[in-house]
Amino acid sequence: MQRGSDRHSAHRDDEMKHELQGLLRSGHPTRTAEWHDPEPVADDDPEVAGGPVLPGSGPGRLEAVRLEVGRLLGRTAFPAGPAALAAVLRERSAPDGLVDRVAALPPESTFRTASELAGALTGDRA
């Protein structure tokens, strides 16, 4: 049944299917000019590109969390306690896992920088 909400004509749809046939059959790009193909993800790309950074353990986690916290909070949010920082993170649409971890920090603590907060979140005070 034709609803009339197609973005392309039937002829253009057939052309597009034909253009994608090689890719679908081979499983890799079939263009002759390599510069058209998207660049694959490198091993040393920051984790931020692959999704939200959440506190946890692992090599380089302190730096990744510090980068994400600094990006989300900026300089104006400090010094502040966990409740105020969690409120700012919610306001700026931070990942829920990060907001929950910040809100769970001891309420009497005060953080002056993103580095201090990242250290408290990861358990690495370096």
Side-chain angles (χ1 to χ4, degrees):
M1 176 172 144
Q2 189 72 13
R3 296 187 308 178
S5 62
D6 295 340
R7 301 187 102 197
H8 305 288
S9 66
H11 178 61
R12 179 66 181 135
D13 285 342
D14 290 339
E15 284 180 12
M16 291 170 71
K17 286 178 191 173
H18 179 70
E19 289 172 2
L20 285 175
Q21 239 175 10
L23 174 64
L24 295 174
R25 285 185 180 171
S26 67
H28 59 82
T30 57
R31 295 186 173 116
T32 56
E34 288 183 6
W35 60 271
H36 279 292
D37 296 334
E39 187 174 323
V41 178
D43 293 337
D44 60 346
D45 281 350
E47 292 183 46
V48 176
V53 174
L54 301 175
S57 61
R61 283 314 265 185
L62 176 64
E63 291 81 13
V65 172
R66 181 174 44 220
L67 173 70
E68 186 73 358
V69 166
R71 183 184 68 80
L72 289 166
L73 292 174
R75 292 182 181 178
T76 58
F78 297 100
L85 292 172
V88 173
L89 287 170
R90 273 190 207 93
E91 178 183 302
R92 296 184 182 171
S93 302
D96 290 337
L98 182 60
V99 174
D100 294 342
R101 293 286 300 268
V102 170
L105 290 170
E108 66 278 354
S109 55
T110 301
F111 301 99
R112 293 177 289 141
T113 64
S115 294
E116 287 181 9
L117 179 58
L121 289 170
T122 59
D124 185 5
R125 306 288 179 178

